[in-house]
Amino acid sequence: MAIIDNAVYVDGRRTADPASLDETYFVLRQREGMAWIGLYRPDADELRSVAEEFDLNSLAVEDALAGHQRAKLEHYGECAFLVLRPARYLDDVEKVDFGEIHVFVGEDYVVTVRHAESPDLARVRRRMEAMPEFLGLGPDAVLYGILDQVVDEYEPVAAGLENDVDEIEDDLFDGDPEVSRRIYELSRQVITFQRATSPLVGILQALMAGTPERQPGPELQDHFRDVLDHVLRLNERVASFRALLQNALAVNAALVAQRQNDEMRKLTESSIAQNEQVKRISSWAAILFAPTLVGTIYGMNFRTMPELDWIFGYPMALSLMVALGIGLYWTFKRNRWI
């Protein structure tokens, strides 16, 4: 059912529970009270019935049907159209679930169009009905109750995000390769949460100032101001989360670069050590190759080689081998290859 709750109030007290919207309109005109209609994902026909009865702006009705709106406050004559982005923290997946609620407020009606499970408007209704004198102030009192509930439900979200930020700070120096992805995902949630909360400052200030068609009384202004104080503190808290995540991302980048530099230094040291080993092996190979080269040349036994018949040929070949080995050893030793 699209109609979650539907009642007519007179002097802040619930006097009727109509079974249909048409009955609500009839009782409202008859008793000259205030109608509070709660809708959950209504279809076009259901919302069109409300729009025709209360002469709602067609653009606002279209926004309420389509959803996916930013938090805002718009005035259409005596009707105020408010969009809020409630949120709740999901502990099992450590993510923030954002909803959307549209509120139409007129002289004698409040129509809420909810597109998510939060906020708990039944709780708002019970709270307002327990204060008939305050509810008797009219639709703006209901609007205050909705705003206060939305802002109150932001507190557990802020606490959950704060806990996630603390966990990321602990994971920074553990070398977790997934920490960069967690920082990015948490930053997206914080930014989306900030987009939901920051417009409330201007919205509440506009509600306190009122319009020529509707001026809130001193009591309502005090209540709106109290919600504004909560929002200001919440925005400061969320801004600190964003700053901490930016710092965490910078620190993580520095740590990753440092680890990469350490790995490159180790690879360089290993390469240098390998080069030294190659130099030593190559040096000894050259030293051993020189006598082998001499022995190979004189081992060919050509008839035209004059040294074959020379009496000093054999000592000369041995001396040449030793001399080449000593010369190469001295050269490599001087160049610190061995």
Side-chain angles (χ1 to χ4, degrees):
M1 294 293 292
I3 303 176
I4 301 302
D5 203 344
N6 181 26
V8 176
Y9 298 83
V10 178
D11 295 330
R13 289 176 171 80
R14 189 166 185 151
T15 63
D17 296 290
S20 64
L21 292 177
D22 292 334
E23 185 179 348
T24 302
Y25 309 148
F26 175 78
V27 174
L28 177 62
R29 289 190 293 267
Q30 184 183 47
R31 301 184 183 182
E32 296 181 352
M34 177 189 71
W36 184 353
I37 302 172
L39 303 176
Y40 179 70
R41 294 180 178 174
D43 57 30
D45 293 335
E46 291 166 331
L47 194 55
R48 187 180 300 112
S49 171
V50 177
E52 292 175 354
E53 175 65 24
F54 299 121
D55 193 24
L56 303 181
N57 184 272
S58 60
L59 295 177
V61 172
E62 183 179 346
D63 289 345
L65 281 173
H68 304 291
Q69 303 294 314
R70 60 180 178 82
K72 61 182 179 178
L73 172 64
E74 296 175 345
H75 290 280
Y76 300 97
E78 296 180 355
C79 175
F81 175 61
L82 181 66
V83 179
L84 299 174
R85 296 298 308 277
R88 57 176 180 166
Y89 186 79
L90 305 178
D91 289 321
D92 53 344
V93 293
E94 295 185 343
K95 290 186 178 181
V96 181
D97 179 42
F98 292 94
E100 191 170 339
I101 180 172
H102 303 81
V103 185
F104 296 89
V105 182
E107 286 187 351
D108 57 355
Y109 64 87
V110 176
V111 179
T112 59
V113 180
R114 190 157 50 93
H115 289 275
E117 298 303 322
S118 63
D120 187 359
L121 295 184
R123 183 177 179 180
V124 177
R125 193 180 290 263
R126 289 193 300 268
R127 177 188 173 193
M128 293 293 102
E129 290 176 351
M131 301 184 297
E133 293 184 359
F134 181 72
L135 186 57
L137 296 176
D140 285 337
V142 178
L143 181 57
Y144 155 76
I146 295 172
L147 282 165
D148 190 50
Q149 180 66 27
V150 170
V151 174
D152 285 346
E153 292 185 6
Y154 283 153
E155 291 298 328
V157 177
L161 291 174
E162 185 174 17
N163 183 65
D164 290 343
V165 172
D166 293 339
E167 290 179 355
I168 283 179
E169 289 180 330
D170 295 337
D171 294 341
L172 271 178
F173 299 96
D174 294 340
D176 186 2
E178 296 295 322
V179 69
S180 297
R181 182 184 59 82
R182 287 194 63 194
I183 293 174
Y184 175 73
E185 291 179 351
L186 187 56
S187 296
R188 288 179 56 190
Q189 294 185 61
V190 169
I191 291 173
T192 306
F193 188 47
Q194 195 173 37
R195 289 174 179 170
T197 60
S198 57
L200 292 179
V201 175
I203 290 173
L204 287 162
Q205 289 174 343
L207 290 173
M208 291 168 56
T211 63
E213 294 81 7
R214 179 190 287 110
Q215 288 291 329
E219 186 174 359
L220 280 171
Q221 287 184 337
D222 291 340
H223 281 78
F224 284 137
R225 186 178 296 109
D226 179 67
V227 179
L228 177 60
D229 291 339
H230 285 82
V231 171
L232 290 173
R233 290 196 299 270
L234 180 65
N235 282 337
E236 292 175 358
R237 192 176 177 187
V238 176
S240 69
F241 295 162
R242 190 170 180 180
L244 286 172
L245 289 172
Q246 290 175 344
N247 292 335
L249 193 61
V251 170
N252 183 65
L255 291 174
V256 170
Q258 181 180 357
R259 286 193 290 268
Q260 290 177 344
N261 290 336
D262 292 340
E263 292 176 358
M264 289 299 298
R265 178 177 57 80
K266 292 178 181 178
L267 289 174
T268 302
E269 292 175 353
S270 176
S271 178
I272 292 174
Q274 290 177 352
N275 289 338
E276 292 298 324
Q277 294 297 329
V278 171
K279 288 180 181 179
R280 290 187 178 92
I281 294 172
S282 301
S283 301
W284 285 111
I287 293 172
L288 295 175
F289 174 72
T292 304
L293 177 63
V294 175
T296 301
I297 292 174
Y298 286 100
M300 291 186 291
N301 295 325
F302 287 113
R303 293 183 178 277
T304 56
M305 295 179 65
E307 293 85 358
L308 293 178
D309 298 328
W310 188 31
I311 192 173
F312 297 107
Y314 179 67
M316 185 207 70
L318 293 178
S319 300
L320 183 60
M321 293 180 188
V322 172
L324 287 174
I326 294 174
L328 288 174
Y329 178 83
W330 180 80
T331 301
F332 294 141
K333 189 71 173 178
R334 183 180 179 184
N335 292 327
R336 298 180 180 179
W337 281 32
I338 55 176

